[in-house]
Amino acid sequence: DLVTGHFEVRQALLILDNCEHLLSACAELVGALLQVCPRLRMLVTSREALNIPGETGWPVRPLNLYAAGLLFVDRARTVLADFIVDERAISAISQICRRLDGLPLAIELAASRLKGLSLEQIAKRLDDRFALLTGGSRVALPRHQTLRTMIDWSHDLLTEPERVLLQRLAVFAGGWTLEAAEAVCAERDGAAVLDLHVQLVQKSLVVIDRSDRSEKRADATRYHFLETIREYALEKLLASGELERMHEHHAAYLLQLAQTAESQLHSHGQKHWLDCLEHEHDNFRAALQWSQGEISDSTLGLQLAVALWQFWWMHGHLREGRRWLEVSLGRADSRTSPDLRAWGLLGAATLGMKYFGYDGYYKDVPLQLEQTLALFRGCGDDAGIALTLCALGNIVGSPANLDHNFEQGQALLEESLSISRRQDAHPWITTHALFAIANLAYWQMDLTRSCTLFEECHAQAQFLGDAHMIGVTLNEWAGVVSAQLDFARSVTLFEEGLKITREIGNFEGQRQAVGGLAVQLLLQGKTDEAMMRAEERHRMSLEHDSKLYLAGSFQMLGLVLREQADYVNAAASFRQSLVLFRDTATTTETWSGEALLGLGTIARLQGQLKRAARL
């Protein structure tokens, strides 16, 4: 009554700070004041909203990296007056602030540790952040003296069911959907999880990923923990004795999701499922890592990797996917079915072929494919036989293979096509056989037949709704059309291919389309436009961290620079390309030869005829 009387006629701002432990009382007070004090405004801070009329919520986000860095430096200079901010310090400070989620108290506690540790030591010890981040100000509230007591404060305000859900959610890596939380964390059904999950969001312990609101799907909203909260919840989950059981639920849910997606990866729902799998990639990694432990089922990891390898192939996760498959195959035992082992070997071989053998392959791939074919023939799996024959035909007939044999490759691919057409479990395999035979015709310079086959492959892929195959077919088809000297149509096909491969996130297809456009523009004398595309491809290769891709992009830059008469930089690009090609572990002699050829043409243009002839 005293407070109400004081503010009844006054224009004022009243601040109530830190209300979450007195939520009902604060709601009652605020409600009463606002009813009788028309000129009063109130600012309330709390982990949870008061939920009274007239309230507008304003989420207080963690500090961005720049602001967090400024705070760290400010507090560091109260500990070390001569604290120097150089390039090395900036790198370490950025790492510390990023890993501490921009939480001001955590950053202040980290800076206070400079009394006895270096920046690098602090960054290295953040894996055990709760032991590290102690020793706050003696005059601060107890809950502000260590990172653990700060989170304990919020945790202790939860109900027991909320605490249980909080710790179970820690099994997720990289976020989750409400559907996933209900499937993994519920006792019997997801009914109880919904309300508890909403409470954790309202209490600011679970964060909504606002960026996913642009998705058309109603269930696309994702949630995550700040990493500090996740580590705390994971400790609680381990202490509860439920960690292994939650890992089992998590892996079982993800296996079902991956297998559902796998059945749709060559259909009109392809983009939706590729996006879904990419969103859950960190969760798949966590489940695969757990599946390699002693307690887990030895076949579960292989089942999961087999369900994912086509996604890894389409989205360019080639080395990572191959590694998971080989590790999982290494754990296979007598309980592993020959069919599952065969699909695992086929996946490892396909991912090791760097896009169906066109850019080379790992040396053990042919042996893996021979083993795969024997297993599939033993199982009578026509789909597996057809796809394996297709891969073998690619290797045998590809010019990237120095011992290539066009006739043998053709026979393998024709057998693949025949078998794929008589099985109906996986109709998309037919497009792969057509694609491979079309490429073989191109390598033999039978351009008319190659175009006819690519056109048939394109039509079949459109009927199935397989955007990935549509995109890569357009790219290869464009190359054949270019060989027929129809550069304008080739540009149109490459542009269509680029649009589709970008939509579905196919990096390899995008790289190929951008490179193809650079060549076609160069052939039309449009050197400035060609340079823009060549530089775009170079940026893509740098981002992908692949020596093979980078070697190709340097070669492309060399071609354009040569046409612009910049012979010094063109030669430097060809030399860099040659060095990178020689550093790769794949069969790349064909492409190394093109780099040498480029150097030879530059020597000729500079009048160095003997050097040109030798190169």
Side-chain angles (χ1 to χ4, degrees):
D1 291 343
L2 260 174
V3 174
T4 302
H6 180 79
F7 287 112
E8 190 170 9
V9 295
R10 284 180 168 82
Q11 181 174 351
L13 172 67
L14 177 61
I15 300 173
L16 300 184
D17 188 30
N18 201 178
C19 297
E20 58 262 16
H21 59 305
L22 301 167
L23 209 61
S24 297
C26 289
E28 186 179 348
L29 172 63
V30 173
L33 285 169
L34 293 180
Q35 281 182 2
V36 295
C37 306
R39 304 178 69 198
L40 179 66
R41 296 290 180 270
M42 300 197 68
L43 178 64
V44 178
T45 72
S46 172
R47 282 201 176 276
E48 186 175 358
L50 300 182
N51 288 333
I52 63 172
E55 180 179 22
T56 299
W58 185 270
V60 181
R61 308 289 183 199
L63 298 175
N64 62 40
L65 190 58
Y66 177 72
L70 291 179
L71 175 63
F72 186 95
V73 171
D74 180 72
R75 296 301 186 265
R77 284 176 174 157
T78 66
V79 177
L80 300 172
D82 59 347
F83 182 73
I84 298 173
V85 183
D86 55 19
E87 190 171 332
R88 184 176 60 85
I90 290 171
S91 175
I93 292 168
S94 297
Q95 182 184 350
I96 291 166
C97 293
R98 189 179 293 109
R99 293 198 60 196
L100 292 177
D101 306 305
L103 294 174
L105 177 62
I107 290 165
E108 292 191 7
L109 292 172
S112 73
R113 278 301 193 178
L114 286 169
K115 295 170 186 174
L117 298 173
S118 69
L119 278 170
E120 289 75 14
Q121 286 174 311
I122 293 171
K124 188 176 181 179
R125 290 172 178 265
L126 285 179
D127 287 338
D128 192 8
R129 64 189 67 195
F130 296 114
L132 176 69
L133 302 181
T134 60
S137 169
R138 290 192 177 91
V139 299
L141 292 168
R143 64 176 179 272
H144 290 163
Q145 292 184 3
T146 74
L147 183 63
R148 184 181 296 281
T149 55
M150 179 188 80
I151 302 176
D152 280 340
W153 164 259
S154 296
H155 182 262
D156 292 345
L157 293 173
L158 298 176
T159 64
E160 184 57 26
E162 288 169 346
R163 291 175 191 170
V164 170
L165 180 59
L166 181 82
Q167 65 195 30
R168 288 178 178 177
L169 289 170
V171 77
F172 289 101
W176 62 87
T177 62
L178 181 58
E179 177 188 40
E182 289 172 329
V184 174
C185 301
E187 289 296 342
R188 284 174 295 278
D189 58 58
V193 170
L194 173 61
D195 290 337
L196 294 172
H197 193 271
V198 169
Q199 289 298 318
L200 293 177
V201 172
Q202 291 180 345
K203 293 178 180 181
S204 307
L205 289 165
V206 168
V207 181
I208 300 178
D209 292 346
R210 303 286 177 181
S211 59
D212 282 339
R213 286 191 166 184
S214 61
E215 298 262 1
K216 293 181 180 179
R217 292 168 51 224
D219 63 342
T221 301
R222 294 184 64 80
Y223 305 85
H224 72 274
F225 283 136
L226 296 181
E227 190 56 32
T228 300
I229 301 297
R230 181 175 185 262
E231 288 197 17
Y232 180 92
L234 205 53
E235 277 190 10
K236 295 290 184 183
L237 182 60
L238 179 61
S240 74
E242 283 199 317
L243 181 61
E244 282 303 313
R245 188 165 73 91
M246 284 299 105
H247 272 304
E248 288 174 7
H249 288 192
H250 182 247
Y253 167 76
L254 288 166
L255 177 58
Q256 183 181 27
L257 178 67
Q259 289 176 338
T260 301
E262 182 191 22
S263 67
Q264 301 296 320
L265 284 183
H266 300 276
S267 70
H268 291 281
Q270 184 181 72
K271 184 181 186 315
H272 160 76
W273 287 108
L274 286 172
D275 288 346
C276 176
L277 295 177
E278 193 66 65
H279 277 309
E280 300 294 353
H281 207 174
D282 283 340
N283 277 310
F284 286 121
R285 291 177 176 121
L288 285 162
Q289 187 64 50
W290 172 78
S291 75
Q292 308 308 317
E294 293 181 5
I295 301 174
S296 64
D297 179 354
S298 62
T299 63
L300 189 145
L302 183 55
Q303 287 177 306
L304 190 53
V306 164
L308 288 171
W309 74 254
Q310 292 184 61
F311 154 69
W312 285 327
W313 178 61
M314 290 181 185
H315 266 207
H317 304 293
L318 305 181
R319 281 180 291 183
E320 180 183 5
R322 181 174 166 83
R323 180 174 61 82
W324 283 122
L325 281 158
E326 291 188 333
V327 168
S328 300
L329 283 164
R331 281 176 53 82
D333 56 26
S334 58
R335 293 172 294 174
T336 306
S337 70
D339 196 49
L340 178 61
R341 190 191 297 269
W343 280 102
L345 282 167
L346 178 59
T350 304
L351 296 176
M353 286 172 64
K354 305 283 180 56
Y355 184 59
F356 269 152
Y358 193 69
D359 286 341
Y361 52 88
Y362 294 112
K363 291 181 180 178
D364 56 347
V365 164
L367 178 61
Q368 284 181 321
L369 288 172
E370 293 292 350
Q371 293 172 339
T372 303
L373 187 59
L375 286 168
F376 277 136
R377 289 196 190 280
C379 299
D381 187 333
D382 279 352
I385 293 169
L387 202 53
T388 307
L389 286 169
C390 185
L392 278 168
N394 264 287
I395 286 181
V396 171
S398 171
N401 175 5
L402 295 184
D403 299 318
H404 68 271
N405 183 317
F406 287 143
E407 289 184 6
Q408 187 182 351
Q410 182 77 30
L412 289 165
L413 293 174
E414 292 291 352
E415 185 183 357
S416 170
L417 181 61
S418 174
I419 295 172
S420 69
R421 280 179 164 156
R422 74 170 182 241
Q423 63 84 39
D424 55 7
H426 301 285
W428 55 271
I429 296 176
T430 301
T431 63
H432 286 236
L434 287 167
F435 179 92
I437 298 171
N439 254 333
L440 190 64
Y442 171 54
W443 294 331
Q444 295 173 291
M445 294 312 292
D446 188 348
L447 303 183
T448 302
R449 181 166 184 260
S450 181
C451 275
T452 300
L453 287 163
F454 275 129
E455 189 171 6
E456 183 181 353
C457 180
H458 181 258
Q460 179 75 4
Q462 281 190 314
F463 175 76
L464 294 171
D466 188 343
H468 177 271
M469 182 52 76
I470 293 170
V472 297
T473 299
L474 285 166
N475 286 345
E476 294 293 339
W477 191 3
V480 181
V481 169
S482 174
Q484 293 175 318
L485 309 185
D486 191 346
F487 305 138
R489 186 171 178 233
S490 181
V491 165
T492 301
L493 291 171
F494 271 127
E495 286 175 341
E496 288 180 35
L498 180 58
K499 179 183 177 183
I500 290 171
T501 52
R502 272 184 175 156
E503 284 175 354
I504 64 168
N506 175 4
F507 171 83
E508 169 64 31
Q510 293 175 62
R511 184 188 71 85
Q512 187 184 16
V514 170
L517 282 169
V519 171
Q520 302 315 306
L521 291 165
L522 195 62
L523 290 169
Q524 295 178 75
K526 300 176 180 179
T527 54
D528 290 343
E529 293 177 52
M531 179 56 79
M532 289 173 60
R533 291 298 188 180
E535 288 173 341
E536 182 182 356
R537 176 173 165 172
H538 190 65
R539 288 192 299 271
M540 293 171 69
S541 301
L542 287 170
E543 290 167 7
H544 206 70
D545 191 27
S546 163
K547 284 185 178 179
L548 190 61
Y549 292 160
L550 199 55
S553 72
F554 270 116
Q555 191 169 105
M556 186 70 65
L557 286 169
L559 290 171
V560 182
L561 288 164
R562 183 187 66 187
E563 293 307 306
Q564 292 180 331
D566 187 349
Y567 301 140
V568 173
N569 285 320
S573 293
F574 283 127
R575 280 195 295 271
Q576 188 64 47
S577 171
L578 192 59
V579 168
L580 288 166
F581 274 136
R582 286 175 173 171
D583 282 349
T584 60
T586 55
T587 309
T588 55
E589 286 84 348
T590 302
W591 314 118
S592 300
E594 291 196 4
L596 286 167
L597 182 61
L599 286 169
T601 59
I602 288 172
R604 179 179 60 80
L605 289 164
Q606 291 177 319
Q608 302 168 9
L609 301 185
K610 289 184 179 180
R611 173 177 165 78
R614 180 169 61 83
L615 288 166

